[in-house]
Amino acid sequence: MEYLRLGDILVHNGAITQQQLDHALELQKTRHERLGTILIEEGIINEQLLIETLETQLGIDFIDLSKVHIPVELAALVPKNIAQRNGVVPVRLNRDELTIAMSDPLNFVALEEVRTATRKRVLPKIATLAAVNKAISTLYGNEGVARAIEEMRSDSASREPVLPARPRTEEVSEEAGQQSAPTVRLVNSILERAALERASDVHIEPRAEEVVVRMRVDGKLRTVLTVPDDLKRTVVSRLKIMGGMDIAESRVPQDGRANVLVKGHSIDLRMSTIPAMYGEKVVIRLLDKSAQLMSAQAIGLEGENLDKYNRLLACAHGMVLIVGPTGSGKSSTMYTMIRSLNTDEVNLVTLENPVEYDIEGVTQVQINEKTGMTFANGLRAVLRQDPDIIAVGEIRDSETAEIAVRSAITGHLVLSTVHTGDALSAIDRLVDIGVAPYLISDALNGIISQRLVRRICPHCKEAYIPSPEVREMLGYQKSGPVHFYRGKGCPQCYHTGYIGRTAVFEILILDKEFKHAIVEGKHVAHLEKCIRNGTFKPLAEDCLRLVLAGVTSAEEALGVLNSTIQ
């Protein structure tokens, strides 16, 4: 095979200029990265163009790894260190021919190393770098899971040592666990995969004949693997040990927490067990501590909403409520506000259940109702600690609401959350649990209502003309053609059409007219008229803005709007 250089192919094909190639080669001398990686990072080409060029010039086919089932047995043929070092993954074996996927088929050193290690004829295919890395993680993770399960079955007489029931930090990786017991390696493999795939939660669910492991990514659950039913007690016991729970108790729900390291990232685990028909179900919430502190722009605030948000943060006293259903991103917004307000000049105290992130400089109080540390009792105690700002994790009863509202009136800035459908419903909720309307009017500065929507994958985003019905449902009233956007589905997003999530907001700042209407006990219909006359923009408008900007799809926006219909 004639030796071809990637740069020469791209210049010959007209994809880049000679000057761009020379610039990339100079960067390569200091970065020591593959040329294709540098060209993509510098924005000279995109990965799709690179793949299409190599397909055309070399006659090497593209392979969509998200649609290919890779037999776990291939992990034993190509060692993991070779796969990771060279960015290759075995795909299929047909007698003496091994098909491998790689993002750089011009890496002849990698081809020769795989050929030497396997003693097979190697047939390369082109795949995206992200797809190759995920396939490596999945293949060798599944291989580690299968090996651990076999060892657990063959060594059923062995038992995990009972460790002290206290949370601790452990490194979760194959390298860290390769000398450990099979159960430890199995659990490590599950947690590592969850972290690498950006899962927010892991569900370990006992069924009639097996244990199903599901992961929630971008708000959607999907099954990733199964564990034999006879090993469920061992797996649950291991997780209980990590979380500092009682492994001898399986008849009552338990909560625990642990900390693990995955690829250098410190991740907090919040664990919950509950007895079910076929055994204990375990749900693990993953919180990446390195990503805990976000900016207002990072959570989706911009334009008028960002201005209103900043106005609420600038208040010296009063109450700001963050509202929405479970899973709408309220905690992220709360922590973002706390981060902005946390300075040496203020005493900021939080009451949380549970404490999700540790924030330096903030006094964080863990609610524990078993010991009498409720939100109400904790709030009373905090008021004797000379606070400037108080963040209450959730208002759920009249006592907590009353204390929080009076604290806001007496000179404190109070942040809290309420589970309601929209901004106006938060006022009704406070009245329903017993807070007098005049107190609400005096204390409340503003309400932030929000939902989460999935972002369209930038790699496969396409424009289309929506139907009149969809335009009408989204409230788009302008005449003439308009383009909406959607994700076709590609290897980068694993054919979901989405990568990541952002928030949509409606922010209500209470003016004098609105406060007066609250005191008079006006009906919601009258309050709606008040806010229509001001600068308030409902969730529907923010959803439409993101749809028109190509951030999210019409389907995601309609899902939010349908969920707010009362």
Side-chain angles (χ1 to χ4, degrees):
M1 185 180 193
E2 182 184 355
Y3 182 76
L4 299 172
R5 295 185 301 180
L6 174 62
D8 295 334
I9 293 175
L10 291 171
V11 172
H12 180 267
N13 198 48
I16 64 174
T17 65
Q18 185 64 47
Q19 290 77 12
Q20 290 173 322
L21 174 59
D22 293 339
H23 172 66
L25 291 173
E26 284 297 317
L27 294 175
Q28 190 179 31
K29 293 178 183 179
T30 56
R31 293 190 187 179
H32 306 291
E33 295 178 339
R34 303 292 301 176
L35 180 61
T37 302
I38 293 175
L39 289 170
I40 293 171
E41 290 177 349
E42 291 297 306
I44 298 174
I45 61 174
N46 58 39
E47 193 169 26
Q48 188 61 37
L49 175 60
L50 175 62
I51 289 173
E52 290 174 356
T53 301
L54 293 175
E55 275 190 288
T56 302
Q57 296 296 318
L58 302 180
I60 299 177
D61 294 333
F62 171 78
I63 184 169
D64 186 349
L65 292 176
S66 64
K67 295 183 177 179
V68 176
H69 171 70
I70 303 177
V72 71
E73 296 80 13
L74 293 184
L77 188 62
V78 179
K80 183 178 181 180
N81 63 331
I82 292 179
Q84 289 181 321
R85 181 168 62 249
N86 296 293
V88 303
V89 63
V91 176
R92 68 176 68 95
L93 178 63
N94 184 14
R95 296 183 181 178
D96 289 333
E97 183 179 84
L98 175 66
T99 300
I100 66 171
M102 55 198 307
S103 61
D104 183 4
L106 292 174
N107 188 349
F108 299 107
V109 174
L111 291 171
E112 187 60 35
E113 189 168 357
V114 173
R115 189 179 295 114
T116 301
T118 61
R119 298 184 179 180
K120 305 289 183 184
R121 189 162 64 91
V122 178
L123 177 65
K125 300 279 188 180
I126 306 174
T128 64
L129 179 61
V132 170
N133 289 337
K134 182 178 186 297
I136 291 174
S137 175
T138 301
L139 172 62
Y140 293 95
N142 289 343
E143 191 255 351
V145 168
R147 187 169 63 247
I149 289 174
E150 285 300 315
E151 291 181 18
M152 289 165 66
R153 280 182 155 170
S154 63
D155 193 24
S156 58
S158 64
R159 293 289 182 268
E160 298 290 333
V162 179
L163 302 180
R166 51 179 297 184
R168 56 199 182 127
T169 300
E170 301 183 15
E171 184 176 357
V172 170
S173 67
E174 181 175 334
E175 292 75 11
Q178 60 188 354
Q179 301 299 327
S180 304
T183 307
V184 175
R185 296 206 307 274
L186 173 60
V187 172
N188 283 1
S189 296
I190 294 172
L191 295 176
E192 181 179 15
R193 180 171 178 178
L196 294 177
E197 295 192 14
R198 302 178 294 105
S200 61
D201 302 88
V202 177
H203 291 235
I204 299 175
E205 305 173 342
R207 306 280 175 87
E209 298 180 352
E210 61 187 5
V211 177
V212 174
V213 179
R214 298 196 292 166
M215 295 181 184
R216 188 182 297 278
V217 179
D218 293 337
K220 305 295 182 182
L221 278 170
R222 60 184 176 86
T223 300
V224 295
L225 60 94
T226 59
V227 177
D229 182 68
D230 57 326
L231 302 178
K232 65 185 176 186
R233 290 182 180 273
T234 311
V235 173
V236 172
S237 294
R238 169 59 188 165
L239 289 168
K240 284 184 172 181
I241 289 170
M242 291 181 66
M245 292 179 273
D246 185 355
I247 64 173
E249 180 58 75
S250 60
R251 297 166 298 177
V252 298
Q254 295 190 63
D255 294 315
R257 60 183 297 177
N259 183 268
V260 297
L261 293 174
V262 180
K263 305 293 185 182
H265 288 268
S266 179
I267 296 178
D268 277 337
L269 307 179
R270 301 290 187 269
M271 303 181 185
S272 172
T273 70
I274 189 170
M277 180 178 293
Y278 297 109
E280 290 181 277
K281 175 177 177 176
V282 184
V283 175
I284 307 166
R285 170 66 55 89
L286 287 81
L287 302 169
D288 189 347
K289 296 174 72 174
S290 63
Q292 61 173 299
L293 298 179
M294 296 182 290
S295 65
Q297 291 84 351
I299 63 175
L301 285 163
E302 56 184 54
E304 290 184 27
N305 281 337
L306 180 59
D307 293 339
K308 293 177 183 178
Y309 171 87
N310 288 330
R311 283 175 58 190
L312 291 175
L313 284 187
C315 296
H317 58 83
M319 174 179 280
V320 178
L321 291 179
I322 307 167
V323 305
T326 299
S328 59
K330 297 189 300 296
S331 294
S332 295
T333 301
M334 172 81 82
Y335 277 110
T336 302
M337 298 177 79
I338 291 171
R339 178 199 181 191
S340 299
L341 294 168
N342 181 28
T343 68
D344 287 339
E345 299 172 354
V346 299
N347 177 21
L348 201 163
V349 184
T350 70
L351 297 166
E352 304 177 58
N353 186 26
V355 175
E356 294 189 359
Y357 295 113
D358 298 331
I359 305 178
E360 186 176 355
V362 175
T363 303
Q364 296 174 268
V365 179
Q366 171 71 54
I367 296 301
N368 187 344
E369 295 185 358
K370 293 180 181 179
T371 63
M373 177 58 80
T374 62
F375 278 110
N377 291 337
L379 192 49
R380 286 193 190 92
V382 166
L383 289 172
R384 296 192 290 269
Q385 293 280 313
D386 184 33
D388 298 292
I389 304 169
I390 307 170
V392 183
E394 181 184 353
I395 291 178
R396 60 177 81 164
D397 59 76
S398 59
E399 190 177 14
T400 304
E402 183 88 12
I403 301 171
V405 167
R406 292 189 180 277
S407 300
I409 293 173
T410 56
H412 305 90
L413 179 59
V414 179
L415 313 176
S416 191
T417 70
V418 177
H419 285 84
T420 62
D422 54 38
L424 285 180
S425 298
I427 297 171
D428 280 345
R429 179 61 54 84
L430 292 178
V431 172
D432 288 343
I433 61 178
V435 182
Y438 76 90
L439 291 177
I440 299 174
S441 174
D442 286 347
L444 197 56
N445 294 334
I447 305 170
I448 301 173
S449 176
Q450 64 181 84
R451 296 288 194 283
L452 291 178
V453 293
R454 290 183 290 174
R455 289 179 172 272
I456 298 173
C457 171
H459 305 286
C460 62
K461 182 166 69 174
E462 64 174 4
Y464 71 99
I465 298 176
S467 67
E469 293 79 13
V470 171
R471 289 167 56 135
E472 182 180 356
M473 286 188 290
L474 282 175
Y476 185 80
Q477 299 175 349
K478 295 182 180 179
S479 59
V482 64
H483 286 94
F484 288 178
Y485 300 85
R486 61 191 171 197
K488 293 187 296 183
C490 68
Q492 278 88 349
C493 62
Y494 311 112
H495 295 278
T496 64
Y498 301 95
I499 294 180
R501 291 191 291 177
T502 189
V504 290
F505 296 91
E506 60 179 22
I507 300 181
L508 172 62
I509 295 181
L510 278 66
D511 57 21
K512 290 183 179 179
E513 179 186 358
F514 194 87
K515 285 175 177 282
H516 183 67
I518 294 175
V519 173
E520 292 185 343
K522 296 293 186 181
H523 192 267
V524 171
H526 181 84
L527 297 180
E528 287 179 348
K529 291 181 181 178
C530 291
I531 62 178
R532 286 200 198 102
N533 298 330
T535 60
F536 176 77
K537 295 185 182 302
L539 275 174
E541 288 194 29
D542 207 32
C543 286
L544 180 59
R545 177 182 65 83
L546 292 186
V547 170
L548 294 173
V551 175
T552 193
S553 68
E555 289 74 18
E556 283 289 293
L558 289 173
V560 168
L561 300 183
N562 291 336
S563 70
T564 61
I565 295 175
Q566 300 297 320

